[in-house]
Amino acid sequence: MSTELGSRNGILIRIMTVEDYKQVKVFMGGNFYNGEPLCASSGEDVQKCYEKENDEYHISMIEQDTCLLAINENDGGRIVGLVLAGCQVPSDLEKHRKEAEEMEPNTWGRIAVFLSKIERKVNIFERYGVSKLLYSHITNVDASMRGKGLGARLAAALMEVGRSKGFPMMIAYCSSFYSARQKQALGMECIYEEAYADYKDANGKVVFRPPAPHTHLRIMVIKL
C-alpha cells in the first residue's frame, strides 16, 4: 500500500512515520488536549499526565503503519490533522485493566479506568468473534480545518488501511458528540453508550463533566 493516501484541496493524507512524532506531539498539545471533551474540561494539563508512557504507546502504534497524517501542501507541509491507531487483541483487555488500576488518580488515569471498564463490559472480541481489530485511538483536526470534512477523510482513509492489513473490524471510543456523529455518517454503528452523568466515583460524585453536547461516551464499530 502506498504511504500517500490521497490529496484533495491541497491537503495530503499519508502514513505517519516515527520521524513525524516530534511535530505530532506539538500539534496534539495545541489541538487535542485542549479540545477533547474529557481532557479540556478537567482543568489539568493532561498532556503531562503519563507523558513518557503515552509517547511510548503512540510510537508503538506509528511503528505498525496504522497512523495517519494530514498535511497542508500549500503551507510548507504543516500538520492539519492526524489519526493514531493500532492493533488490539483479546489479551489487551486484561492488560488495560491492570495498567489502569496502577495509574495515579489524575485525569488520564481516570479516563483509563473508565475506558477499561467499558471495553470489558462490551468485550468486542467475544461479541463479534474476532481475534484482532483496528483501534482508532485519537483523531484530531486543526481548529482552522474543522467542519470541512477532514476528520471524515481521515477516518475513511484509516478504514482503507485496516482493510489492506486484513483487520476484520475497526472500533473507536468517541468521547465527543461530533466525532460519534461523523463516524456514524461513515457507516459506523454505535453499539454502546454511557452517559457521563451516570459514571460516578466511590463517593457518588460524577467523574467527568464535559460541556454539552458531549453527554455520552459512544463505542462505534464497523466491519471492514
Side-chain angles (χ1 to χ4, degrees):
M1 187 174 192
S2 170
T3 58
E4 295 190 358
L5 304 174
S7 180
R8 191 188 308 161
N9 300 326
I11 306 300
L12 171 71
I13 295 178
R14 65 168 173 82
I15 302 290
M16 191 185 295
T17 68
V18 172
E19 289 71 33
D20 293 317
Y21 187 63
K22 188 175 180 181
Q23 283 182 285
V24 163
K25 190 174 174 181
V26 171
F27 177 82
M28 289 175 64
N31 288 275
F32 174 70
Y33 293 101
N34 61 6
E36 188 280 324
L38 304 188
C39 294
S41 62
S42 70
E44 192 172 4
D45 185 354
V46 180
Q47 192 170 26
K48 294 287 189 287
C49 301
Y50 292 97
E51 187 172 11
K52 178 175 177 288
E53 291 84 354
N54 277 327
D55 285 345
E56 290 171 355
Y57 180 45
H58 296 162
I59 289 168
S60 75
M61 288 190 285
I62 296 168
E63 289 173 339
Q64 299 173 44
D65 291 334
T66 48
C67 300
L68 306 178
L69 211 54
I71 60 171
N72 189 335
E73 297 178 293
N74 300 325
D75 191 11
R78 181 173 69 90
I79 296 174
V80 291
L82 60 82
V83 176
L84 292 174
C87 178
Q88 282 195 354
V89 296
S91 60
D92 284 326
L93 300 185
E94 180 62 13
K95 178 172 173 277
H96 295 161
R97 184 191 67 78
K98 288 180 178 176
E99 289 172 347
E101 274 186 358
E102 293 169 4
M103 285 185 169
E104 295 173 28
N106 56 32
T107 299
W108 200 256
R110 286 189 286 273
I111 292 172
V113 169
F114 181 45
L115 294 183
S116 175
K117 285 180 178 177
I118 287 176
E119 71 176 1
R120 282 181 286 121
K121 186 186 293 185
V122 173
N123 197 335
I124 197 83
F125 300 101
E126 197 173 273
R127 182 172 184 149
Y128 287 96
V130 295
S131 58
K132 68 174 184 176
L133 53 80
L134 182 58
Y135 167 58
S136 179
H137 177 50
I138 289 173
T139 301
N140 191 215
V141 171
D142 186 270
S144 68
M145 294 294 296
R146 288 174 193 161
K148 298 180 180 179
L150 182 54
R153 277 185 64 196
L154 283 162
L158 183 62
M159 291 177 194
E160 287 305 313
V161 169
R163 290 184 187 105
S164 75
K165 291 184 172 292
F167 286 100
M169 298 196 76
M170 185 173 102
I171 187 169
Y173 291 67
C174 295
S175 58
S176 158
F177 168 81
Y178 301 111
S179 64
R181 185 174 67 177
Q182 173 201 86
K183 286 178 169 60
Q184 190 168 26
L186 290 169
M188 296 189 76
E189 177 191 359
C190 179
I191 60 162
Y192 181 83
E193 64 178 20
E194 182 152 332
Y196 297 126
D198 293 338
Y199 181 65
K200 299 173 183 178
D201 63 16
N203 299 315
K205 183 182 175 184
V206 174
V207 177
F208 303 113
R209 296 177 179 272
H214 311 297
T215 57
H216 291 72
L217 179 93
R218 293 179 173 89
I219 297 184
M220 310 296 293
V221 302
I222 190 167
K223 292 183 179 179
L224 298 178

PDB file of all heavy atoms in Angstrom, residues 119-151:
ATOM      1  N   GLU A 119     -14.648  -1.291  27.996  1.00  0.00           N
ATOM      2  CA  GLU A 119     -14.223  -2.265  26.988  1.00  0.00           C
ATOM      3  C   GLU A 119     -14.391  -3.692  27.487  1.00  0.00           C
ATOM      4  O   GLU A 119     -14.679  -4.600  26.706  1.00  0.00           O
ATOM      5  CB  GLU A 119     -12.789  -1.997  26.514  1.00  0.00           C
ATOM      6  CG  GLU A 119     -11.692  -2.295  27.495  1.00  0.00           C
ATOM      7  CD  GLU A 119     -10.300  -2.100  26.903  1.00  0.00           C
ATOM      8  OE1 GLU A 119     -10.178  -1.709  25.732  1.00  0.00           O
ATOM      9  OE2 GLU A 119      -9.318  -2.318  27.637  1.00  0.00           O
ATOM     10  N   ARG A 120     -14.267  -3.904  28.802  1.00  0.00           N
ATOM     11  CA  ARG A 120     -14.504  -5.244  29.349  1.00  0.00           C
ATOM     12  C   ARG A 120     -15.994  -5.570  29.376  1.00  0.00           C
ATOM     13  O   ARG A 120     -16.401  -6.712  29.169  1.00  0.00           O
ATOM     14  CB  ARG A 120     -13.879  -5.361  30.745  1.00  0.00           C
ATOM     15  CG  ARG A 120     -12.373  -5.577  30.701  1.00  0.00           C
ATOM     16  CD  ARG A 120     -11.750  -5.723  32.065  1.00  0.00           C
ATOM     17  NE  ARG A 120     -11.672  -4.463  32.774  1.00  0.00           N
ATOM     18  CZ  ARG A 120     -12.231  -4.203  33.947  1.00  0.00           C
ATOM     19  NH1 ARG A 120     -12.951  -5.134  34.557  1.00  0.00           N
ATOM     20  NH2 ARG A 120     -12.097  -3.032  34.531  1.00  0.00           N
ATOM     21  N   LYS A 121     -16.811  -4.560  29.625  1.00  0.00           N
ATOM     22  CA  LYS A 121     -18.262  -4.759  29.626  1.00  0.00           C
ATOM     23  C   LYS A 121     -18.757  -5.126  28.220  1.00  0.00           C
ATOM     24  O   LYS A 121     -19.575  -6.028  28.048  1.00  0.00           O
ATOM     25  CB  LYS A 121     -18.949  -3.471  30.102  1.00  0.00           C
ATOM     26  CG  LYS A 121     -20.453  -3.591  30.277  1.00  0.00           C
ATOM     27  CD  LYS A 121     -21.084  -2.237  30.601  1.00  0.00           C
ATOM     28  CE  LYS A 121     -20.670  -1.711  31.950  1.00  0.00           C
ATOM     29  NZ  LYS A 121     -21.385  -0.446  32.290  1.00  0.00           N
ATOM     30  N   VAL A 122     -18.246  -4.436  27.215  1.00  0.00           N
ATOM     31  CA  VAL A 122     -18.677  -4.654  25.835  1.00  0.00           C
ATOM     32  C   VAL A 122     -18.036  -5.902  25.237  1.00  0.00           C
ATOM     33  O   VAL A 122     -18.664  -6.647  24.497  1.00  0.00           O
ATOM     34  CB  VAL A 122     -18.362  -3.411  24.974  1.00  0.00           C
ATOM     35  CG1 VAL A 122     -18.636  -3.676  23.501  1.00  0.00           C
ATOM     36  CG2 VAL A 122     -19.164  -2.211  25.462  1.00  0.00           C
ATOM     37  N   ASN A 123     -16.755  -6.134  25.558  1.00  0.00           N
ATOM     38  CA  ASN A 123     -15.947  -7.254  25.042  1.00  0.00           C
ATOM     39  C   ASN A 123     -16.213  -7.511  23.555  1.00  0.00           C
ATOM     40  O   ASN A 123     -16.837  -8.498  23.162  1.00  0.00           O
ATOM     41  CB  ASN A 123     -16.160  -8.532  25.843  1.00  0.00           C
ATOM     42  CG  ASN A 123     -15.034  -9.536  25.589  1.00  0.00           C
ATOM     43  OD1 ASN A 123     -14.376  -9.504  24.544  1.00  0.00           O
ATOM     44  ND2 ASN A 123     -14.792 -10.415  26.549  1.00  0.00           N
ATOM     45  N   ILE A 124     -15.698  -6.610  22.762  1.00  0.00           N
ATOM     46  CA  ILE A 124     -15.927  -6.632  21.320  1.00  0.00           C
ATOM     47  C   ILE A 124     -15.437  -7.922  20.666  1.00  0.00           C
ATOM     48  O   ILE A 124     -16.016  -8.409  19.698  1.00  0.00           O
ATOM     49  CB  ILE A 124     -15.258  -5.395  20.674  1.00  0.00           C
ATOM     50  CG1 ILE A 124     -15.807  -5.129  19.274  1.00  0.00           C
ATOM     51  CG2 ILE A 124     -13.760  -5.504  20.657  1.00  0.00           C
ATOM     52  CD1 ILE A 124     -17.073  -4.367  19.290  1.00  0.00           C
ATOM     53  N   PHE A 125     -14.364  -8.500  21.214  1.00  0.00           N
ATOM     54  CA  PHE A 125     -13.796  -9.728  20.617  1.00  0.00           C
ATOM     55  C   PHE A 125     -14.772 -10.889  20.745  1.00  0.00           C
ATOM     56  O   PHE A 125     -15.001 -11.646  19.792  1.00  0.00           O
ATOM     57  CB  PHE A 125     -12.460 -10.068  21.291  1.00  0.00           C
ATOM     58  CG  PHE A 125     -11.431  -8.982  21.155  1.00  0.00           C
ATOM     59  CD1 PHE A 125     -11.171  -8.109  22.199  1.00  0.00           C
ATOM     60  CD2 PHE A 125     -10.745  -8.812  19.962  1.00  0.00           C
ATOM     61  CE1 PHE A 125     -10.235  -7.099  22.068  1.00  0.00           C
ATOM     62  CE2 PHE A 125      -9.805  -7.804  19.813  1.00  0.00           C
ATOM     63  CZ  PHE A 125      -9.559  -6.940  20.877  1.00  0.00           C
ATOM     64  N   GLU A 126     -15.345 -11.021  21.932  1.00  0.00           N
ATOM     65  CA  GLU A 126     -16.315 -12.096  22.164  1.00  0.00           C
ATOM     66  C   GLU A 126     -17.616 -11.822  21.402  1.00  0.00           C
ATOM     67  O   GLU A 126     -18.205 -12.722  20.805  1.00  0.00           O
ATOM     68  CB  GLU A 126     -16.591 -12.182  23.671  1.00  0.00           C
ATOM     69  CG  GLU A 126     -17.244 -13.454  24.120  1.00  0.00           C
ATOM     70  CD  GLU A 126     -17.310 -13.516  25.636  1.00  0.00           C
ATOM     71  OE1 GLU A 126     -16.329 -13.993  26.249  1.00  0.00           O
ATOM     72  OE2 GLU A 126     -18.332 -13.068  26.200  1.00  0.00           O
ATOM     73  N   ARG A 127     -18.025 -10.586  21.406  1.00  0.00           N
ATOM     74  CA  ARG A 127     -19.294 -10.199  20.782  1.00  0.00           C
ATOM     75  C   ARG A 127     -19.316 -10.486  19.280  1.00  0.00           C
ATOM     76  O   ARG A 127     -20.318 -10.938  18.733  1.00  0.00           O
ATOM     77  CB  ARG A 127     -19.520  -8.709  21.028  1.00  0.00           C
ATOM     78  CG  ARG A 127     -20.821  -8.170  20.486  1.00  0.00           C
ATOM     79  CD  ARG A 127     -21.008  -6.735  20.975  1.00  0.00           C
ATOM     80  NE  ARG A 127     -22.280  -6.179  20.573  1.00  0.00           N
ATOM     81  CZ  ARG A 127     -22.954  -5.290  21.257  1.00  0.00           C
ATOM     82  NH1 ARG A 127     -22.513  -4.885  22.422  1.00  0.00           N
ATOM     83  NH2 ARG A 127     -24.093  -4.805  20.798  1.00  0.00           N
ATOM     84  N   TYR A 128     -18.171 -10.230  18.615  1.00  0.00           N
ATOM     85  CA  TYR A 128     -18.129 -10.407  17.159  1.00  0.00           C
ATOM     86  C   TYR A 128     -17.274 -11.603  16.720  1.00  0.00           C
ATOM     87  O   TYR A 128     -17.149 -11.851  15.525  1.00  0.00           O
ATOM     88  CB  TYR A 128     -17.600  -9.131  16.492  1.00  0.00           C
ATOM     89  CG  TYR A 128     -18.610  -8.003  16.511  1.00  0.00           C
ATOM     90  CD1 TYR A 128     -18.572  -7.038  17.501  1.00  0.00           C
ATOM     91  CD2 TYR A 128     -19.617  -7.919  15.550  1.00  0.00           C
ATOM     92  CE1 TYR A 128     -19.497  -6.002  17.537  1.00  0.00           C
ATOM     93  CE2 TYR A 128     -20.555  -6.900  15.575  1.00  0.00           C
ATOM     94  CZ  TYR A 128     -20.484  -5.943  16.574  1.00  0.00           C
ATOM     95  OH  TYR A 128     -21.415  -4.925  16.609  1.00  0.00           O
ATOM     96  N   GLY A 129     -16.684 -12.314  17.670  1.00  0.00           N
ATOM     97  CA  GLY A 129     -15.902 -13.490  17.325  1.00  0.00           C
ATOM     98  C   GLY A 129     -14.659 -13.175  16.511  1.00  0.00           C
ATOM     99  O   GLY A 129     -14.315 -13.920  15.583  1.00  0.00           O
ATOM    100  N   VAL A 130     -13.985 -12.059  16.851  1.00  0.00           N
ATOM    101  CA  VAL A 130     -12.767 -11.680  16.131  1.00  0.00           C
ATOM    102  C   VAL A 130     -11.563 -11.812  17.056  1.00  0.00           C
ATOM    103  O   VAL A 130     -11.685 -11.718  18.279  1.00  0.00           O
ATOM    104  CB  VAL A 130     -12.853 -10.242  15.564  1.00  0.00           C
ATOM    105  CG1 VAL A 130     -13.947 -10.158  14.511  1.00  0.00           C
ATOM    106  CG2 VAL A 130     -13.092  -9.219  16.665  1.00  0.00           C
ATOM    107  N   SER A 131     -10.389 -12.032  16.454  1.00  0.00           N
ATOM    108  CA  SER A 131      -9.175 -12.209  17.251  1.00  0.00           C
ATOM    109  C   SER A 131      -8.263 -10.982  17.205  1.00  0.00           C
ATOM    110  O   SER A 131      -7.258 -10.926  17.906  1.00  0.00           O
ATOM    111  CB  SER A 131      -8.397 -13.433  16.761  1.00  0.00           C
ATOM    112  OG  SER A 131      -8.064 -13.282  15.388  1.00  0.00           O
ATOM    113  N   LYS A 132      -8.630 -10.003  16.373  1.00  0.00           N
ATOM    114  CA  LYS A 132      -7.889  -8.735  16.347  1.00  0.00           C
ATOM    115  C   LYS A 132      -8.807  -7.679  15.737  1.00  0.00           C
ATOM    116  O   LYS A 132      -9.791  -7.992  15.058  1.00  0.00           O
ATOM    117  CB  LYS A 132      -6.602  -8.843  15.524  1.00  0.00           C
ATOM    118  CG  LYS A 132      -6.820  -9.042  14.027  1.00  0.00           C
ATOM    119  CD  LYS A 132      -5.494  -8.992  13.261  1.00  0.00           C
ATOM    120  CE  LYS A 132      -5.733  -9.092  11.750  1.00  0.00           C
ATOM    121  NZ  LYS A 132      -4.476  -8.951  10.985  1.00  0.00           N
ATOM    122  N   LEU A 133      -8.492  -6.424  16.011  1.00  0.00           N
ATOM    123  CA  LEU A 133      -9.244  -5.325  15.412  1.00  0.00           C
ATOM    124  C   LEU A 133      -8.356  -4.096  15.341  1.00  0.00           C
ATOM    125  O   LEU A 133      -7.322  -4.018  16.001  1.00  0.00           O
ATOM    126  CB  LEU A 133     -10.529  -5.050  16.189  1.00  0.00           C
ATOM    127  CG  LEU A 133     -10.461  -4.807  17.695  1.00  0.00           C
ATOM    128  CD1 LEU A 133     -10.039  -3.382  18.032  1.00  0.00           C
ATOM    129  CD2 LEU A 133     -11.821  -5.090  18.327  1.00  0.00           C
ATOM    130  N   LEU A 134      -8.780  -3.149  14.513  1.00  0.00           N
ATOM    131  CA  LEU A 134      -8.066  -1.882  14.395  1.00  0.00           C
ATOM    132  C   LEU A 134      -8.736  -0.883  15.323  1.00  0.00           C
ATOM    133  O   LEU A 134      -9.925  -0.580  15.177  1.00  0.00           O
ATOM    134  CB  LEU A 134      -8.099  -1.376  12.952  1.00  0.00           C
ATOM    135  CG  LEU A 134      -7.350  -0.065  12.673  1.00  0.00           C
ATOM    136  CD1 LEU A 134      -5.880  -0.169  13.059  1.00  0.00           C
ATOM    137  CD2 LEU A 134      -7.486   0.330  11.206  1.00  0.00           C
ATOM    138  N   TYR A 135      -7.969  -0.399  16.292  1.00  0.00           N
ATOM    139  CA  TYR A 135      -8.468   0.531  17.305  1.00  0.00           C
ATOM    140  C   TYR A 135      -8.068   1.949  16.919  1.00  0.00           C
ATOM    141  O   TYR A 135      -6.885   2.275  16.872  1.00  0.00           O
ATOM    142  CB  TYR A 135      -7.892   0.159  18.665  1.00  0.00           C
ATOM    143  CG  TYR A 135      -8.074   1.199  19.744  1.00  0.00           C
ATOM    144  CD1 TYR A 135      -9.343   1.641  20.110  1.00  0.00           C
ATOM    145  CD2 TYR A 135      -6.971   1.711  20.427  1.00  0.00           C
ATOM    146  CE1 TYR A 135      -9.506   2.581  21.106  1.00  0.00           C
ATOM    147  CE2 TYR A 135      -7.129   2.646  21.428  1.00  0.00           C
ATOM    148  CZ  TYR A 135      -8.397   3.086  21.764  1.00  0.00           C
ATOM    149  OH  TYR A 135      -8.549   4.025  22.758  1.00  0.00           O
ATOM    150  N   SER A 136      -9.072   2.768  16.603  1.00  0.00           N
ATOM    151  CA  SER A 136      -8.836   4.179  16.294  1.00  0.00           C
ATOM    152  C   SER A 136      -8.777   4.936  17.613  1.00  0.00           C
ATOM    153  O   SER A 136      -9.802   5.199  18.247  1.00  0.00           O
ATOM    154  CB  SER A 136      -9.960   4.715  15.402  1.00  0.00           C
ATOM    155  OG  SER A 136      -9.756   6.082  15.118  1.00  0.00           O
ATOM    156  N   HIS A 137      -7.580   5.275  18.032  1.00  0.00           N
ATOM    157  CA  HIS A 137      -7.326   5.810  19.374  1.00  0.00           C
ATOM    158  C   HIS A 137      -7.612   7.312  19.449  1.00  0.00           C
ATOM    159  O   HIS A 137      -8.373   7.770  20.298  1.00  0.00           O
ATOM    160  CB  HIS A 137      -5.871   5.513  19.744  1.00  0.00           C
ATOM    161  CG  HIS A 137      -5.431   6.070  21.059  1.00  0.00           C
ATOM    162  ND1 HIS A 137      -6.143   5.884  22.216  1.00  0.00           N
ATOM    163  CD2 HIS A 137      -4.336   6.817  21.402  1.00  0.00           C
ATOM    164  CE1 HIS A 137      -5.508   6.477  23.226  1.00  0.00           C
ATOM    165  NE2 HIS A 137      -4.424   7.062  22.745  1.00  0.00           N
ATOM    166  N   ILE A 138      -7.000   8.074  18.571  1.00  0.00           N
ATOM    167  CA  ILE A 138      -7.173   9.531  18.572  1.00  0.00           C
ATOM    168  C   ILE A 138      -7.317  10.020  17.131  1.00  0.00           C
ATOM    169  O   ILE A 138      -6.505   9.668  16.274  1.00  0.00           O
ATOM    170  CB  ILE A 138      -5.972  10.241  19.237  1.00  0.00           C
ATOM    171  CG1 ILE A 138      -5.969  10.008  20.751  1.00  0.00           C
ATOM    172  CG2 ILE A 138      -5.989  11.748  18.935  1.00  0.00           C
ATOM    173  CD1 ILE A 138      -4.723  10.535  21.451  1.00  0.00           C
ATOM    174  N   THR A 139      -8.342  10.805  16.877  1.00  0.00           N
ATOM    175  CA  THR A 139      -8.463  11.553  15.626  1.00  0.00           C
ATOM    176  C   THR A 139      -8.509  13.023  16.009  1.00  0.00           C
ATOM    177  O   THR A 139      -9.306  13.411  16.871  1.00  0.00           O
ATOM    178  CB  THR A 139      -9.746  11.188  14.857  1.00  0.00           C
ATOM    179  OG1 THR A 139      -9.734   9.782  14.558  1.00  0.00           O
ATOM    180  CG2 THR A 139      -9.845  11.975  13.553  1.00  0.00           C
ATOM    181  N   ASN A 140      -7.649  13.829  15.395  1.00  0.00           N
ATOM    182  CA  ASN A 140      -7.555  15.233  15.768  1.00  0.00           C
ATOM    183  C   ASN A 140      -7.334  16.087  14.532  1.00  0.00           C
ATOM    184  O   ASN A 140      -6.502  15.751  13.688  1.00  0.00           O
ATOM    185  CB  ASN A 140      -6.407  15.414  16.762  1.00  0.00           C
ATOM    186  CG  ASN A 140      -6.382  16.781  17.419  1.00  0.00           C
ATOM    187  OD1 ASN A 140      -5.319  17.315  17.686  1.00  0.00           O
ATOM    188  ND2 ASN A 140      -7.524  17.355  17.693  1.00  0.00           N
ATOM    189  N   VAL A 141      -8.112  17.152  14.431  1.00  0.00           N
ATOM    190  CA  VAL A 141      -8.027  18.060  13.291  1.00  0.00           C
ATOM    191  C   VAL A 141      -7.764  19.469  13.790  1.00  0.00           C
ATOM    192  O   VAL A 141      -8.324  19.890  14.813  1.00  0.00           O
ATOM    193  CB  VAL A 141      -9.344  18.010  12.464  1.00  0.00           C
ATOM    194  CG1 VAL A 141      -9.380  19.091  11.405  1.00  0.00           C
ATOM    195  CG2 VAL A 141      -9.501  16.631  11.819  1.00  0.00           C
ATOM    196  N   ASP A 142      -6.893  20.184  13.083  1.00  0.00           N
ATOM    197  CA  ASP A 142      -6.582  21.574  13.424  1.00  0.00           C
ATOM    198  C   ASP A 142      -7.875  22.397  13.493  1.00  0.00           C
ATOM    199  O   ASP A 142      -8.781  22.222  12.667  1.00  0.00           O
ATOM    200  CB  ASP A 142      -5.642  22.147  12.356  1.00  0.00           C
ATOM    201  CG  ASP A 142      -5.149  23.545  12.707  1.00  0.00           C
ATOM    202  OD1 ASP A 142      -5.830  24.508  12.318  1.00  0.00           O
ATOM    203  OD2 ASP A 142      -4.094  23.657  13.349  1.00  0.00           O
ATOM    204  N   ALA A 143      -7.937  23.291  14.473  1.00  0.00           N
ATOM    205  CA  ALA A 143      -9.150  24.102  14.669  1.00  0.00           C
ATOM    206  C   ALA A 143      -9.560  24.838  13.400  1.00  0.00           C
ATOM    207  O   ALA A 143     -10.761  24.977  13.116  1.00  0.00           O
ATOM    208  CB  ALA A 143      -8.932  25.086  15.816  1.00  0.00           C
ATOM    209  N   SER A 144      -8.585  25.266  12.612  1.00  0.00           N
ATOM    210  CA  SER A 144      -8.883  26.030  11.393  1.00  0.00           C
ATOM    211  C   SER A 144      -9.500  25.172  10.297  1.00  0.00           C
ATOM    212  O   SER A 144     -10.058  25.687   9.326  1.00  0.00           O
ATOM    213  CB  SER A 144      -7.612  26.684  10.849  1.00  0.00           C
ATOM    214  OG  SER A 144      -6.707  25.692  10.370  1.00  0.00           O
ATOM    215  N   MET A 145      -9.406  23.836  10.443  1.00  0.00           N
ATOM    216  CA  MET A 145      -9.880  22.914   9.408  1.00  0.00           C
ATOM    217  C   MET A 145     -11.166  22.195   9.800  1.00  0.00           C
ATOM    218  O   MET A 145     -11.688  21.398   9.036  1.00  0.00           O
ATOM    219  CB  MET A 145      -8.801  21.868   9.112  1.00  0.00           C
ATOM    220  CG  MET A 145      -7.531  22.415   8.491  1.00  0.00           C
ATOM    221  SD  MET A 145      -7.819  23.086   6.838  1.00  0.00           S
ATOM    222  CE  MET A 145      -8.306  21.607   5.954  1.00  0.00           C
ATOM    223  N   ARG A 146     -11.682  22.471  10.979  1.00  0.00           N
ATOM    224  CA  ARG A 146     -12.872  21.744  11.432  1.00  0.00           C
ATOM    225  C   ARG A 146     -14.101  22.163  10.633  1.00  0.00           C
ATOM    226  O   ARG A 146     -14.223  23.304  10.215  1.00  0.00           O
ATOM    227  CB  ARG A 146     -13.077  21.957  12.929  1.00  0.00           C
ATOM    228  CG  ARG A 146     -12.020  21.198  13.743  1.00  0.00           C
ATOM    229  CD  ARG A 146     -12.062  21.456  15.213  1.00  0.00           C
ATOM    230  NE  ARG A 146     -10.826  20.940  15.833  1.00  0.00           N
ATOM    231  CZ  ARG A 146     -10.376  21.299  17.021  1.00  0.00           C
ATOM    232  NH1 ARG A 146     -11.062  22.163  17.752  1.00  0.00           N
ATOM    233  NH2 ARG A 146      -9.250  20.797  17.487  1.00  0.00           N
ATOM    234  N   GLY A 147     -14.985  21.200  10.407  1.00  0.00           N
ATOM    235  CA  GLY A 147     -16.192  21.464   9.643  1.00  0.00           C
ATOM    236  C   GLY A 147     -15.992  21.394   8.145  1.00  0.00           C
ATOM    237  O   GLY A 147     -16.900  21.712   7.375  1.00  0.00           O
ATOM    238  N   LYS A 148     -14.808  20.945   7.719  1.00  0.00           N
ATOM    239  CA  LYS A 148     -14.508  20.879   6.288  1.00  0.00           C
ATOM    240  C   LYS A 148     -14.366  19.444   5.775  1.00  0.00           C
ATOM    241  O   LYS A 148     -13.886  19.212   4.672  1.00  0.00           O
ATOM    242  CB  LYS A 148     -13.229  21.672   5.994  1.00  0.00           C
ATOM    243  CG  LYS A 148     -13.350  23.157   6.337  1.00  0.00           C
ATOM    244  CD  LYS A 148     -12.074  23.924   6.029  1.00  0.00           C
ATOM    245  CE  LYS A 148     -12.227  25.397   6.390  1.00  0.00           C
ATOM    246  NZ  LYS A 148     -10.996  26.171   6.115  1.00  0.00           N
ATOM    247  N   GLY A 149     -14.738  18.486   6.612  1.00  0.00           N
ATOM    248  CA  GLY A 149     -14.724  17.093   6.178  1.00  0.00           C
ATOM    249  C   GLY A 149     -13.402  16.372   6.318  1.00  0.00           C
ATOM    250  O   GLY A 149     -13.271  15.223   5.890  1.00  0.00           O
ATOM    251  N   LEU A 150     -12.402  17.018   6.945  1.00  0.00           N
ATOM    252  CA  LEU A 150     -11.088  16.370   7.045  1.00  0.00           C
ATOM    253  C   LEU A 150     -11.115  15.192   8.009  1.00  0.00           C
ATOM    254  O   LEU A 150     -10.489  14.159   7.746  1.00  0.00           O
ATOM    255  CB  LEU A 150     -10.025  17.386   7.466  1.00  0.00           C
ATOM    256  CG  LEU A 150      -8.596  16.846   7.567  1.00  0.00           C
ATOM    257  CD1 LEU A 150      -8.161  16.166   6.271  1.00  0.00           C
ATOM    258  CD2 LEU A 150      -7.618  17.966   7.950  1.00  0.00           C
ATOM    259  N   GLY A 151     -11.834  15.318   9.117  1.00  0.00           N
ATOM    260  CA  GLY A 151     -11.936  14.194  10.056  1.00  0.00           C
ATOM    261  C   GLY A 151     -12.555  12.976   9.394  1.00  0.00           C
ATOM    262  O   GLY A 151     -12.114  11.838   9.610  1.00  0.00           O
TER     263      GLY A 151
END
